[in-house]
Amino acid sequence: MCGITGWVSFHQDARTQAPVIEAMTATLAPRGPDAGGVWLGERAAIGHRRLAVIDLAGGAQPMTDPLGQLVLSYSGEIYNHHELRARLRRSGHEFRTRSDTEVVLRAYAEWGEAVAEHLDGMFAFAVWDERAQRLLLVRDRLGVKPLYWAAVDGGLAFASEPKALFAHPEIRPRVDADGLREAYSLLFNTGPTVWSGVREVEPGGVLALDRDGVRERRYWRLEPGAHPDDRDATVAHVHDLVSTAARGQLEADVPLCSLLSGGIDSTVLTALLADELRLREGPHARIRSYAVDYSDQAERFTGDVLRTGHDTPYATEAGAFIGTDHSTVVLDPLALLDPEHRRAVVAARDSPIGVGDMDTSLYLLFGEIRRHSTVALSGEAADEVFGGYPWFHDPEALAADTFPWLLVTGDEAAMPLNPELDLRIGEFRDDTYRSALAAVPHLDGETPAEHRQREMQHLSLTRWLRQLLHRKDRLSMAQGLEVRVPYCDHRLVEYAFAVPWSLKNFDGREKSLLRAASTGLAPDSVLRRPKNHYPATHHPDYNRGLQNLAREALTDDTVRSLADETRIKPCLDTAPDRLRWGHRLRLERVVDLALWLDHHQPELAL
């Protein structure tokens, strides 16, 4: 995993601007702590920061072809790079390294703009083609790896994170009403961002720039196909797809581990990884696994709208059942109030929107894991793929005429913005919801109930999942840790999306197919366990400290101009041990807003 950045301009000579590309590249050093490099040509400047994972000696970037006509800056992992290497060799390509980076470079030389269709993995990359005078930006199908761009004189600049763009003299951190609306509506559009003029390359998207301008296309979309398999065949195929995805993502030349929460998603994944590791390295091989907990959790755990139980006992049992080298990272709840930790999280996100203590704890967890491992595998996306969220099963959510997660997060947890801003978020949500539903494909003969479930899954996979992947990428890469997500394998996603809901929910429980496909891979207690979200601290001293941070944030004139103090005051006046989850998240967002304003110093054009 790495950080990429650069620009192309047909109006300026990039060779005179080495300090600019070096500054842009330096902002991404946490993503790539092992090495960095830049390439300068007349029309293009390309930068790269490297986190070395495969072929530690041979994968330096930016990478050029032998003639110096192609320049690649690449972030991610290509899981079918061995197969592609063999195929490209048969076509006459010669290789100098073992890296998947060189496979991407040679694949572009072979297939040009059609390169993306041949790649399996998580990736974001830029290729500058000197011969064609063309820049190509490519992003993986589910949007696991980020890729942003903005216009500059005579071309565009690109980067893994907006902060790198802001090191270019023509791009300023500017926020207008549209950006605030995007951020605080919680709709997770892909394309526009909180930053004026800064856009994302679409997941499954390709952007090309040449002298004729910018062209964008999608090489992959989530589409349902026919599903002729019966229940037994479907369960067997799900098992095969999950197993194949897990095995294919185990390769690394650095220490690797698994994130094991004690839920079914992470437990099944860890079990498959452990079995494959034993096949490769012998019966005594053990994969490292990690869980997170808080020092007060065993005594103070209180269920809420997102959490039904304490994770640690399940994670410990799962680790023993599978035979992992398991560790629980125990955090002091008060450490989550540390201004340096919180500032680092907000700086990593480049956004005022997060989930407060859950972001800070994930950042600290990743920092602890990075002491021992460079790569971690996560069970993220199984809920979206297999129907694990409450909104797939709640009649009220199914009947609601809005995005289902808004019924959970709701206005109680939203950052209350000053009504004088007149952002019309309600209107924006309604319009966006109608557009989102219009993008959901129909199958002939599908009942209204089946189609409604397909809408729920499409919204979850194309919107809700994106912010989870964004969170995981930013907070892991801020610690120099690569996180892989096997449940985002596009073949698994495509197959599961085609499965009718009646089969996906055949036993009336969430994630029926994954449970059925996981027999023998997890303890019965885990297989029976209901969905549980990422843990949060329940310590009243944390709540008290958060209230104090929010009061301090509201002493800032800009924060007060953006926030609706009348709706924040009840959260400040509530006794710390009675602060509801939604109101606490509201305070988290006030604090994060203040930190974001202080760190990024955005120009506000409201």
Side-chain angles (χ1 to χ4, degrees):
M1 204 70 65
C2 306
I4 70 173
T5 190
W7 78 86
V8 167
S9 173
F10 294 108
H11 292 173
Q12 302 175 27
D13 188 339
R15 292 171 295 187
T16 66
Q17 301 185 61
V20 176
I21 188 61
E22 289 168 357
M24 294 172 71
T25 304
T27 66
L28 300 174
R31 296 186 73 91
D34 295 327
V38 301
W39 179 95
L40 287 161
E42 183 180 3
R43 297 298 174 217
I46 309 293
H48 188 269
R49 290 295 314 187
R50 187 183 185 203
L51 176 65
V53 172
I54 294 175
D55 190 6
L56 307 189
Q61 298 185 55
M63 183 177 283
T64 60
D65 71 328
L67 298 177
Q69 296 298 301
L70 303 177
V71 187
L72 171 68
S73 188
Y74 154 77
S75 170
E77 301 293 343
I78 304 301
Y79 303 125
N80 65 332
H81 72 97
H82 293 295
E83 295 89 337
L84 289 176
R85 183 186 300 267
R87 183 176 173 186
L88 290 164
R89 276 184 170 144
R90 290 193 294 269
S91 296
H93 292 270
E94 296 180 358
F95 288 83
R96 299 167 290 175
T97 74
R98 292 190 300 107
S99 69
D100 58 340
T101 303
E102 189 177 9
V103 171
V104 175
L105 183 65
R106 300 289 182 171
Y108 174 82
E110 180 72 15
W111 295 302
E113 289 192 25
V115 60
E117 287 90 330
H118 296 270
L119 306 177
D120 293 338
M122 57 178 190
F123 49 83
F125 61 87
V127 180
W128 170 245
D129 189 330
E130 279 275 338
R131 305 162 305 182
Q133 291 285 284
R134 180 179 62 226
L135 174 71
L136 193 72
L137 302 180
V138 182
R139 193 174 181 198
D140 67 67
R141 293 167 180 84
L142 274 295
V144 180
K145 292 291 101 187
L147 186 53
Y148 297 85
W149 67 280
V152 297
D153 180 35
L156 65 81
F158 64 89
S160 295
E161 299 179 8
K163 59 174 63 69
L165 297 176
F166 300 143
H168 190 287
E170 295 182 37
I171 305 171
R172 304 305 307 150
R174 184 175 184 272
V175 177
D176 57 20
D178 290 339
L180 278 186
R181 193 179 299 114
E182 284 288 346
Y184 286 102
S185 64
L186 305 179
L187 305 187
F188 316 117
N189 288 314
T190 299
T193 69
V194 65
W195 303 106
S196 178
V198 175
R199 296 184 61 82
E200 286 186 82
V201 175
E202 291 271 2
V206 172
L207 182 151
L209 169 74
D210 57 23
R211 292 181 184 275
D212 294 328
V214 172
R215 292 176 286 107
E216 293 185 80
R217 72 174 178 89
R218 297 287 294 278
Y219 68 89
W220 185 86
R221 293 180 188 273
L222 186 60
E223 299 281 356
H227 187 78
D229 297 344
D230 62 16
R231 182 196 298 180
D232 290 344
T234 301
V235 169
H237 197 51
V238 165
H239 180 275
D240 290 345
L241 286 169
V242 175
S243 299
T244 299
R247 288 196 304 270
Q249 299 191 25
L250 195 56
E251 181 181 6
D253 294 337
V254 291
L256 177 148
C257 69
S258 181
L259 306 179
L260 179 59
S261 69
I264 184 173
D265 312 339
S266 64
T267 301
V268 168
L269 175 62
T270 303
L272 292 168
L273 294 169
D275 287 347
E276 181 65 18
L277 193 66
R278 284 189 281 263
L279 284 174
R280 295 183 186 185
E281 299 183 8
H284 300 296
R286 301 173 75 195
I287 191 169
R288 282 182 176 269
S289 62
Y290 290 91
V292 66
D293 201 357
Y294 304 96
S295 56
D296 67 314
Q297 197 81 328
E299 297 176 2
R300 296 183 181 274
F301 176 82
T302 304
D304 58 30
V305 66
L306 297 177
R307 298 165 194 87
T308 59
H310 184 198
D311 276 346
T312 293
Y314 293 95
T316 302
E317 182 184 4
F321 180 89
I322 297 165
T324 72
D325 181 4
H326 187 68
S327 301
T328 300
V329 177
V330 180
L331 302 176
D332 179 352
L334 299 186
L336 307 180
L337 297 167
D338 187 312
E340 291 305 311
H341 297 327
R342 298 190 73 107
R343 194 172 292 113
V345 167
V346 171
R349 286 199 318 250
D350 284 330
S351 168
I353 290 294
V355 283
D357 65 307
M358 291 183 283
D359 280 353
T360 308
S361 67
L362 190 63
Y363 172 79
L364 294 175
L365 169 65
F366 287 152
E368 182 62 28
I369 291 173
R370 186 60 177 88
R371 295 176 56 201
H372 309 284
S373 299
T374 308
V375 175
L377 285 97
S378 165
E380 200 78 85
D383 287 303
E384 290 81 2
V385 171
F386 293 109
Y389 290 117
W391 54 73
F392 288 101
H393 310 273
D394 179 5
E396 181 183 351
L398 291 168
D401 192 26
T402 191
F403 293 96
W405 51 86
L406 295 179
L407 302 178
V408 179
T409 58
D411 287 335
E412 181 182 71
M415 164 71 184
L417 295 170
N418 190 332
E420 293 182 8
L421 295 171
D422 194 25
L423 294 180
R424 301 181 180 178
I425 284 179
E427 264 181 57
F428 181 65
R429 283 174 170 172
D430 291 343
D431 292 343
T432 305
Y433 183 66
R434 286 192 290 271
S435 298
L437 291 190
V440 180
H442 286 258
L443 276 181
D444 291 341
E446 193 171 47
T447 67
E450 284 281 358
H451 185 69
R452 181 54 176 159
Q453 288 290 354
R454 196 174 304 284
E455 289 176 337
M456 287 292 194
Q457 190 171 12
H458 195 276
L459 295 173
S460 298
L461 284 164
T462 62
R463 289 177 177 271
W464 180 255
L465 176 60
R466 289 179 185 175
Q467 54 92 20
L468 297 178
L469 294 174
H470 168 94
R471 171 178 180 251
K472 193 144 283 182
D473 172 86
R474 292 304 189 81
L475 299 181
S476 63
M477 294 308 294
Q479 298 283 19
L481 177 72
E482 173 177 297
V483 175
R484 301 176 182 175
V485 280
Y487 290 111
C488 284
D489 183 283
H490 72 276
R491 291 155 297 193
L492 172 63
V493 172
E494 290 167 350
Y495 184 80
F497 189 60
V499 175
W501 179 253
S502 57
L503 188 51
K504 204 172 288 176
N505 187 49
F506 69 81
D507 64 359
R509 298 196 61 193
E510 75 272 13
K511 293 182 279 195
S512 303
L513 285 179
L514 183 60
R515 292 178 194 278
S518 305
T519 302
L521 293 174
D524 288 343
S525 61
V526 171
L527 291 175
R528 293 193 304 266
R529 189 184 182 199
K531 166 69 182 171
N532 205 56
H533 286 259
Y534 184 87
T537 180
H538 298 269
H539 203 298
D541 285 348
Y542 176 82
N543 292 347
R544 183 177 293 106
L546 179 65
Q547 289 171 319
N548 290 336
L549 289 177
R551 291 187 185 96
E552 182 180 347
L554 288 167
T555 63
D556 181 90
D557 291 341
T558 307
V559 173
R560 286 202 308 276
S561 73
L562 296 174
D564 183 354
E565 289 188 79
T566 61
R567 296 179 61 202
I568 297 169
K569 189 175 185 302
C571 310
L572 296 172
D573 294 341
T574 302
D577 59 350
R578 295 177 176 272
L579 193 63
R580 296 198 304 271
W581 173 82
H583 281 178
R584 189 171 90 173
L585 187 53
R586 186 179 291 182
L587 295 179
E588 301 276 14
R589 288 179 169 153
V590 172
V591 174
D592 284 355
L593 173 63
L595 291 170
W596 175 73
L597 290 167
D598 180 66
H599 179 81
H600 288 89
Q601 297 289 307
E603 173 192 343
L604 298 178
L606 303 173

